[in-house]
């Protein structure tokens, strides 16, 4: 309740009085002024300062007392009605806030799913998958029949094969590998005809090698981590390439191709080595590889005569044999090395060890290069050879040291 005390004459309230209120007030004034008609005018003036009940806009009741006091009393509303309004307002706010939160959660979730989809969307094609798988050598746990691996039974073994041509540095390369404590490379096994007379004998020999039942001077102990051998292209490898590639892929054999870029130097080495098989320049003993400068000088003293007429076609034939071998074994896990790179770049040996999945070690060999220096010192008809190759794609072979 609010009480306002002020002169009635100064109060000017614009009210909208209802007709019922005016009638009630007039009836009251008639009852009060029934005795004196003369004082009706003054009584009517004083009654105007009496208690009046007005229904105001804004739902207020106004009382004006005889003491010129204006009393304004707010209209009493139902508490239930107010509570209902507050509840509805709170519910509306709650619904709005929940709608905003759900929208934000939906947006964040959508972004997360989109991010996942973006990460998972790229799909590797078969060629990329094959390349990734080719970087990891297959691990094997062979169970030899001739001995027990003992405590090394659970030690994994990698299978490999050095695929090359005669006089391409494969013997020297194999001695480098065998200087690694975990590698056993068993030499040129298929140089013996009976082991490669058909695909059945080839597979039987391979199974014996990779089952660790093949013993040579290069064989390590039962804890060897990589086992292989060297295989020349003309020893049944190209003839039975389909079956051999299938075997390599099935058994997880890694192929290491070793070729020589300078095919002219390879030709000189082949001719000199063939001559020594019969001449046996080293005290009646034929040696394909030497371990001293004296032995190298003795073998290089022989100067072969090269057929200059068929020289280019002979070089082309050897070149195409290497290309054909790479094409045949393209589906296998393999790496390609060149003799010249091994001589000039020792990091290539680290690449080989990484390819086989072995710990890095310094690899060494006792073998000595036989034909070292200018080729003109080792070919009897050098002028004819020089004239034949000058201006051809093989001209660089004339000057290369390796």
């Amino acid at each position: 309740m609010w009480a306002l005390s002020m002169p009635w004459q100064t109060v000017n309230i614009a009210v909208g009085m209802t007709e019922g209120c005016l009638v009630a007030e007039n009836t009251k004034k008639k009852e009060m002024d029934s005795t004196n008609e003369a004082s009706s005018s003054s009584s009517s003036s004083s009654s105007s300062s009496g208690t009046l009940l007005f229904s105001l806009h804004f739902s207020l009741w106004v009382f004006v007392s005889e003491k010129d006091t204006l009393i304004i009393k707010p209209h009493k509303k139902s508490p239930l009605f107010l509570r209902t309004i507050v509840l509805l307002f709170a519910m509306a706010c709650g619904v709005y806030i929940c709608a905003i939160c759900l929208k934000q959660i939906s947006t964040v979730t959508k972004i997360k799913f989109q991010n996942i989809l973006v990460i998972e969307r790229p799909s590797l094609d078969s060629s990329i998958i094959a390349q990734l798988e080719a970087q990891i050598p297959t691990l094997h746990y062979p169970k030899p029949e001739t001995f027990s691996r003992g405590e090394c039974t659970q030690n994994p073994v990698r299978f490999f094969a050095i695929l090359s041509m005669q006089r391409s540095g494969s013997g020297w390369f194999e001695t480098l590998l065998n200087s690694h404590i975990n590698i056993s490379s068993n030499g040129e096994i298929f140089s013996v005809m009976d082991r490669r007379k058909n695909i059945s004998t080839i597979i039987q020999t391979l199974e014996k090698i990779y089952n660790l039942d093949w013993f040579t001077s290069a064989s390590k102990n039962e804890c060897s981590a990589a086992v292989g051998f060297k295989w020349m292209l003309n020893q049944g490898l190209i003839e039975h390439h389909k079956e051999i590639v299938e075997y390599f892929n099935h058994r997880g054999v890694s192929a290491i191709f070793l070729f020589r870029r300078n095919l002219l130097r390879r030709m000189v080495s082949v001719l000199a080595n063939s001559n020594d098989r019969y001449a046996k320049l080293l005290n009646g003993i034929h040696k394909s590889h030497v371990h001293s400068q004296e032995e190298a000088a003795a073998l290089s003293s022989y100067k072969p005569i090269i057929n200059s007429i068929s020289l280019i076609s002979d070089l082309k034939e050897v070149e195409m044999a290497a290309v054909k071998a790479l094409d045949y074994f393209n589906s296998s896990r393999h790496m390609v090395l060149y003799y010249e790179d091994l001589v000039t770049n020792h990091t290539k040996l680290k690449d080989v060890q990484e390819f086989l999945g072995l710990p890095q070690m310094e690899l060494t060999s006792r073998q000595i290069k036989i034909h070292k220096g200018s080729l003109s010192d080792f070919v009897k008809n050098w002028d004819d050879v020089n004239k034949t190759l000058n201006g051809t794609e093989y001209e660089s072979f004339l000057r290369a040291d390796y």
Side-chain angles (χ1 to χ4, degrees):
M1 177 184 294
W2 296 275
L4 300 177
S5 179
M6 61 188 73
W8 171 252
Q9 292 79 5
T10 63
V11 176
N12 184 13
I13 301 177
V15 295
M17 294 185 296
T18 64
E19 186 176 354
C21 292
L22 292 176
V23 172
E25 186 62 24
N26 289 335
T27 303
K28 183 178 179 180
K29 286 191 289 183
K30 287 180 181 181
E31 292 177 353
M32 294 174 62
D33 300 334
S34 58
T35 55
N36 194 351
E37 185 178 352
S39 62
S40 178
S41 175
S42 61
S43 177
S44 177
S45 299
S46 61
S47 65
S48 63
S49 62
T51 301
L52 296 177
L53 181 61
F54 300 95
S55 177
L56 300 176
H57 299 293
F58 313 110
S59 300
L60 294 176
W61 293 102
V62 180
F63 296 90
V64 181
S65 66
E66 296 180 353
K67 297 181 180 181
D68 296 334
T69 300
L70 178 64
I71 301 174
I72 301 175
K73 183 178 181 181
H75 176 66
K76 292 183 179 180
K77 293 187 177 180
S78 172
L80 179 61
F81 177 73
L82 294 176
R83 290 177 182 176
T84 302
I85 293 177
V86 173
L87 179 61
L88 291 175
F89 179 75
M91 291 175 63
C93 292
V95 171
Y96 176 76
I97 294 172
C98 289
I100 296 298
C101 293
L102 289 174
K103 185 177 181 181
Q104 291 178 348
I105 293 173
S106 175
T107 303
V108 173
T109 305
K110 184 178 180 181
I111 292 174
K112 289 182 178 180
F113 284 137
Q114 287 177 346
N115 289 339
I116 294 174
L117 290 175
V118 168
I119 294 173
E120 296 180 349
R121 187 176 295 122
S123 58
L124 299 177
D125 57 29
S126 58
S127 62
I128 297 178
I129 294 175
Q131 292 176 7
L132 293 176
E133 291 179 347
Q135 297 177 5
I136 306 173
T138 304
L139 303 181
H140 306 272
Y141 299 88
K143 298 179 179 179
E145 299 178 358
T146 54
F147 70 96
S148 173
R149 297 190 69 202
E151 61 181 9
C152 296
T153 302
Q154 299 303 319
N155 288 12
V157 180
R158 290 83 169 169
F159 299 160
F160 70 91
I162 304 169
L163 310 184
S164 186
M165 298 181 183
Q166 287 84 354
R167 314 312 296 174
S168 296
S170 60
W172 169 68
F173 175 65
E174 190 175 42
T175 60
L176 289 170
L177 293 184
N178 280 323
S179 68
H180 195 292
I181 191 173
N182 297 122
I183 300 178
S184 295
S185 189
N186 295 286
E188 198 171 321
I189 291 175
F190 287 106
S191 60
V192 178
M193 182 65 69
D194 288 342
R195 298 170 185 166
R196 55 182 168 92
K197 59 184 178 181
N198 54 53
I199 188 60
S200 297
T201 57
I202 290 176
I203 297 300
Q204 290 173 7
T205 303
L206 292 175
E207 284 293 293
K208 194 173 182 180
I209 294 169
Y210 294 129
N211 202 46
L212 305 185
D213 287 320
W214 193 275
F215 295 101
T216 65
S217 59
S219 299
K220 296 294 195 303
N221 52 37
E222 60 275 5
C223 293
S224 294
V227 175
F229 63 101
K230 66 175 183 176
W231 197 349
M232 301 298 105
L233 300 186
N234 60 355
Q235 294 175 350
L237 187 65
I238 300 300
E239 181 182 357
H240 303 285
H241 68 273
K242 291 183 180 180
E243 294 85 354
I244 294 171
V245 169
E246 183 179 352
Y247 177 86
F248 277 17
N249 291 336
H250 175 70
R251 294 283 279 143
V253 179
S254 300
I256 303 175
F257 283 96
L258 177 61
F259 297 123
R260 197 165 184 171
R261 287 196 178 95
N262 194 327
L263 300 181
L264 181 60
R265 279 190 172 271
R266 175 185 175 274
M267 181 179 290
V268 171
S269 182
V270 169
L271 293 174
N273 185 65
S274 298
N275 176 75
D276 191 65
R277 288 181 182 273
Y278 305 99
K280 298 180 181 179
L281 300 176
L282 295 177
N283 300 321
I285 300 174
H286 168 62
K287 287 187 177 181
S288 297
H289 308 95
V290 298
H291 300 92
S292 68
Q293 294 295 342
E294 292 75 17
E295 292 177 331
L299 293 180
S300 64
S301 63
Y302 170 75
K303 294 184 179 182
I305 298 176
I306 295 176
N307 187 344
S308 60
I309 297 177
S310 61
L311 177 58
I312 293 180
S313 61
D314 291 341
L315 294 175
K316 178 67 69 175
E317 182 180 356
V318 175
E319 190 175 49
M320 292 309 297
V323 173
K324 187 182 296 185
L326 290 174
D327 182 57
Y328 288 157
F329 285 81
N330 185 51
S331 64
S332 67
R333 182 178 186 268
H334 66 275
M335 70 178 302
V336 181
L337 295 174
Y338 289 95
Y339 169 77
E340 290 83 357
D341 295 337
L342 290 174
V343 172
T344 59
N345 186 359
H346 294 291
T347 60
K348 290 296 181 180
L349 294 176
K350 294 182 179 180
D351 295 340
V352 175
Q353 295 176 72
E354 183 178 354
F355 176 73
L356 295 176
L358 298 175
Q360 297 287 332
M361 290 187 62
E362 188 71 23
L363 305 182
T364 59
S365 174
R366 294 176 53 243
Q367 286 192 11
I368 303 296
K369 183 176 175 62
I370 297 174
H371 296 92
K372 188 174 182 179
S374 175
L375 266 180
S376 59
D377 298 333
F378 306 113
V379 179
K380 194 169 186 178
N381 61 332
W382 176 252
D383 292 338
D384 295 336
V385 172
N386 186 63
K387 183 179 179 180
T388 301
L389 297 183
N390 262 322
T392 69
E393 57 183 314
Y394 305 113
E395 182 179 359
S396 61
F397 295 167
L398 298 171
R399 295 176 292 274
D401 188 27
Y402 291 98

